[in-house]
């Protein structure tokens, strides 16, 4: 069997799906402007000089503007106190031009991230990290859902349709990916297992799954023979490893080439889940803006 025969139709192209989603959001923004005369706005707050965070914030700002929404960027020095950051969040909470607020993590050590995340008004919490939104997701209420797991769910539903009754294993239990992912799958009537660093025989847990979501942060930890024949694999991991010749490359948490022959469908890294995160941030901003204005969410 040649490589093309093995990969044919199996690769879930998150980059293309995210581009389509961003186009639909831009159309909806134009429709809101035409019918209701307002433009949703997203405020992104960056504290300090973390190089990765600077790239994320730049990309978020650019894609927000490309969608036709307003982008408000707030860059604060590394020495910013928690009180100063909370004061900015308070101003943004009260600003009617700002429909969504995102404070880029990680924050400098003098600032308690949970205190800041919980200071954002839950209805403007487009990252979905506020304890109220976590509670709404857990109890089936109408909240805002964390962007990365939301992106994973959209890719899964696009590929598989109805997820009812599927056995899903989520590897990782972080508040930003693993737990909300498990909750979303439960809401879709999957039978969900959450695995973590203390799980006994992770390989066996994965082999039982129709859907494997890997959100661990360990390069290629999930091996090919952990994947049941025909299972759908969503790889959230982003790991930079040595590629030889003094170069580096990005790989996921799943050994992609090994998993490919087993999987029915699989997301690549890069180009799978990654591009979905900002697209879902824009979706959340649009959703938040419509709810705040009492307009039906498109
Ligand atoms: N836009 C995106 O695509 C996007 C967004 C967010 C994150 N990510 C990536 O996704 C990955 C996970 O991110 P995160 O924030 O969820 O990470 P995290 O907070 O570090 O959580 C990692 C989870 O993996 C579990 N784990 C660690 N070692 C394990 C092992 N040997 N076996 C089983 N489980 C193990 C941990 O278990 P314990 O709880 O027991 O410690 C923990 O629950 C990272 O690579 C990150 O870069 C990508």
């Amino acid at each position: 069997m040649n490589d093309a025969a093995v990969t044919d139709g199996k690769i879930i192209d998150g980059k293309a799906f995210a581009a389509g989603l961003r186009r639909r959001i831009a159309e909806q923004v134009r429709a809101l402007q035409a019918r209701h005369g307002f433009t949703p706005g997203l405020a992104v707050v960056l504290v300090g000089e973390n190089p990765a965070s600077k790239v994320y914030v730049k990309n978020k700002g650019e894609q927000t503007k490309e969608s036709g929404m307003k982008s408000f960027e707030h860059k604060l020095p590394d020495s910013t106190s928690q009180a100063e950051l909370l004061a900015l969040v308070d101003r943004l909470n009260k600003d009617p031009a700002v429909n969504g607020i995102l404070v880029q993590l990680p924050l400098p050590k003098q600032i308690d991230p949970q205190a800041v995340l919980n200071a954002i008004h839950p209805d403007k919490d487009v990252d979905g990290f506020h304890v109220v939104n976590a509670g709404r997701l857990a109890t089936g209420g109408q909240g805002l859902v964390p962007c990365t797991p939301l992106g994973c769910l959209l890719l899964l539903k696009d590929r598989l349709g109805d997820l009812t009754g599927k056995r899903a294993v989520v590897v990782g239990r972080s508040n930003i990916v693993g737990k909300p992912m498990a909750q979303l799958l439960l809401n879709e009537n999957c039978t969900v297992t959450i695995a973590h660093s203390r799980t006994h025989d992770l390989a066996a847990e994965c082999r039982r799954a129709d859907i494997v979501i890997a959100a661990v942060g360990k390069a290629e930890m999930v091996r090919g023979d952990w994947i049941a024949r025909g299972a759908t694999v969503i790889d959230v991991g982003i790991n930079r490893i040595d590629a030889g010749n003094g170069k580096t490359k990005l790989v996921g948490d799943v050994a992609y080439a090994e998993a490919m022959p087993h999987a029915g469908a699989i997301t690549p890294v890069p180009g799978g889940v990654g591009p979905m995160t900002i697209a879902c941030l824009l979706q959340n901003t649009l959703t938040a803006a419509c709810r705040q204005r009492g307009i039906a969410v498109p």
Side-chain angles (χ1 to χ4, degrees), residues 3 5-6 31-32 38 49 56 60 79 81 83 166 175 183 192 196 205-206 264 271 275 289:
D3 282 357
V6 172
L32 274 183
F38 98 101
E49 300 290 328
Y56 292 142
K60 284 168 188 171
S79 58
S81 70
K166 303 241 180 258
N175 288 339
Q183 210 65 62
V192 183
H196 45 77
E205 295 295 342
C206 290

Side-chain angles (χ1 to χ4, degrees), residues 166-291:
K166 303 241 180 258
R167 255 197 288 245
V169 169
V170 180
V171 191
R173 55 173 164 181
S174 71
N175 288 339
I176 64 169
V177 188
K179 283 183 200 156
M181 187 73 244
Q183 210 65 62
L184 284 169
L185 291 166
L186 194 57
N187 291 347
E188 296 294 326
N189 304 312
C190 290
T191 303
V192 183
T193 300
I194 307 177
H196 45 77
S197 66
R198 313 292 175 88
T199 296
H200 291 162
D201 203 349
L202 183 58
E205 295 295 342
C206 290
R207 282 189 195 113
R208 277 195 284 275
D210 305 308
I211 296 168
V212 176
I213 314 268
V216 182
K218 290 205 156 62
E220 301 183 327
M221 189 194 80
V222 175
R223 307 312 310 182
D225 66 353
W226 298 12
I227 305 301
R229 190 146 302 279
T232 303
V233 180
I234 304 288
D235 190 351
V236 184
I238 304 175
N239 309 287
R240 189 165 284 285
I241 62 164
D242 188 357
N245 309 330
K247 296 194 172 147
T248 62
K249 64 173 180 175
L250 289 182
V251 298
D253 289 342
V254 179
Y256 181 75
E258 254 183 56
M260 177 64 76
H262 300 260
I266 184 167
T267 56
V269 176
V273 173
M276 291 299 290
T277 298
I278 299 184
C280 288
L281 173 69
L282 302 179
Q283 175 74 68
N284 276 351
T285 305
L286 184 66
T287 300
C290 290
R291 287 185 189 154

Side-chain angles (χ1 to χ4, degrees), residues 1-8 10 257 260-261 263:
M1 211 171 1
N2 62 28
D3 282 357
V6 172
T7 59
D8 199 23
K10 287 189 179 187
M260 177 64 76

